[in-house]
């Protein structure tokens, strides 16, 4: 009994050593919305009109393309096997406050990475973060304070708001490993170089919520993992 168990463990281990680098594939897909794209509701600018009202603001919490692709969905492998950390970015990721909007609205930031929150508007903003697993930040950012920094050490989904301009909102998804992707305007995404195996894939959207589905990553090439959110 013991012998059989040992060899059953050893053979795949030895094969792994002989094969050299880990076998890995890509997860590609498209996220869609089963309903009609919502009409972009206009946001009324109630403060700092000269700066914030330069460009019209519309509701961007659910962006659906003509063919139903959903932008700003974060897709990640919930249970990666190799547990390697996300490589640090070459320079600090940044959230810009421009025209009283957080740009980009949604972004993925490696855990432990310093994030620059920039004030490009020359007026007072007040950064307020709402983490679940990290330390919150609530800091006034007067017009002369170009950058406030924030760091999130643990994986999380963090909403950012401005206490001065109630319509301003953005999201930081803090990644503890590299197997994350953000869907583009067409709803498409790619997670590259995932070690072969079967995983749970998570789809998170600020308005449509979190959904999961299993995915099996091949040793070479890619697997397609499309997903459709039910209409709200
Ligand atoms: Cu503001």
């Amino acid at each position: 009994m013991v012998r059989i168990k040992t060899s059953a463990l050893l053979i795949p281990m030895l094969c792994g050593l002989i094969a050299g680098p880990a076998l890995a594939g890509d997860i590609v897909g498209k996220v869609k919305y089963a309903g009609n794209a919502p009409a972009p509701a206009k946001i009324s600018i109630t403060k700092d009109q000269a700066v914030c009202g330069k460009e019209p603001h519309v509701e961007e919490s659910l962006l659906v393309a003509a063919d139903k692709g959903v932008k700003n969905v974060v897709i990640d492998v919930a249970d990666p096997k190799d547990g390697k950390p996300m490589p640090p970015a070459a320079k600090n990721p940044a959230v810009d406050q421009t025209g009283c909007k957080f740009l980009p609205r949604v972004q993925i930031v490696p855990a432990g990475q310093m994030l620059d929150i920039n004030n490009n508007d020359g007026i007072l903003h007040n950064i307020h973060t709402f983490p679940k697993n990290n330390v919150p930040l609530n800091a006034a950012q007067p017009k002369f304070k170009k950058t406030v920094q924030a760091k999130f050490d643990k994986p999380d989904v963090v909403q950012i708001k401005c206490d001065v301009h109630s319509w301003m909102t953005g999201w930081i998804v803090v990644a503890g490993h590299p197997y994350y992707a953000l869907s583009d305007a067409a709803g498409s995404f790619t997670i590259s170089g995932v070690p072969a195996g079967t995983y749970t894939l998570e789809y998170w959207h600020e308005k449509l919520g979190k959904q999961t589905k299993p995915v099996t990553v091949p040793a070479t090439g890619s697997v397609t993992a499309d997903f459709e959110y039910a209409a709200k």
Side-chain angles (χ1 to χ4, degrees):
M1 279 296 268
V2 173
R3 268 194 163 178
I4 293 163
K5 273 190 180 166
T6 310
S7 56
L9 277 173
L10 272 175
I11 290 165
M13 280 174 68
L14 287 170
C15 287
L17 286 174
I18 294 161
L23 300 168
D26 299 340
I27 304 171
V28 300
K30 185 171 167 102
V31 184
K32 286 189 164 189
Y33 182 60
N36 291 321
K42 202 167 172 272
I43 291 171
S44 40
I45 302 304
T46 49
K47 207 167 186 182
D48 296 317
Q49 205 55 246
V51 174
C52 304
K54 264 191 220 157
E55 305 279 338
H57 287 236
V58 292
E59 181 57 48
E60 293 180 332
S61 60
L62 177 57
L63 297 170
V64 181
D67 73 346
K68 315 279 191 188
V70 186
K71 190 182 177 184
N72 286 339
V73 177
V74 175
I75 303 94
D76 83 292
V77 174
D79 47 357
K81 288 179 175 65
D82 65 354
K84 69 178 174 184
M86 193 166 180
K91 65 182 221 157
N92 291 354
V95 178
D96 283 307
Q97 296 165 100
T98 303
C100 308
K101 247 187 186 190
F102 288 116
L103 299 172
R105 183 181 179 93
V106 181
Q107 80 176 294
I108 298 161
V109 170
Q113 176 88 48
M114 197 59 87
L115 174 72
D116 291 342
I117 303 169
N118 299 321
N119 183 352
N120 301 321
D121 282 337
I123 57 170
L124 172 73
H125 288 298
N126 188 98
I127 296 294
H128 198 161
T129 65
F130 297 85
K132 287 167 204 75
N133 308 323
N134 290 282
V135 181
L137 171 72
N138 185 355
Q141 190 168 14
K143 58 183 180 182
F144 53 83
K145 196 160 187 181
K146 173 77 182 157
T147 302
V148 165
Q149 291 190 311
K151 190 154 77 75
F152 305 100
D153 290 321
K154 295 180 190 139
D156 209 345
V157 173
V158 183
Q159 186 172 20
I160 304 185
K161 293 178 77 71
C162 170
D163 290 340
V164 179
H165 308 103
S166 57
W167 62 86
M168 290 179 69
T169 192
W171 298 86
I172 301 297
V173 175
V174 186
H177 60 73
Y179 310 119
Y180 275 76
L182 182 67
S183 69
D184 63 17
S188 300
F189 69 91
T190 301
I191 305 177
S192 302
V194 183
T198 297
Y199 303 98
T200 300
L201 202 58
E202 293 180 322
Y203 301 80
W204 173 87
H205 181 270
E206 61 175 289
K207 204 158 183 184
L208 303 175
K210 190 192 268 190
Q211 299 284 337
T212 62
K213 86 174 206 183
V215 65
T216 298
V217 179
T220 57
S222 63
V223 59
T224 299
D226 294 340
F227 186 80
E228 187 174 68
Y229 275 103
K232 281 220 164 184

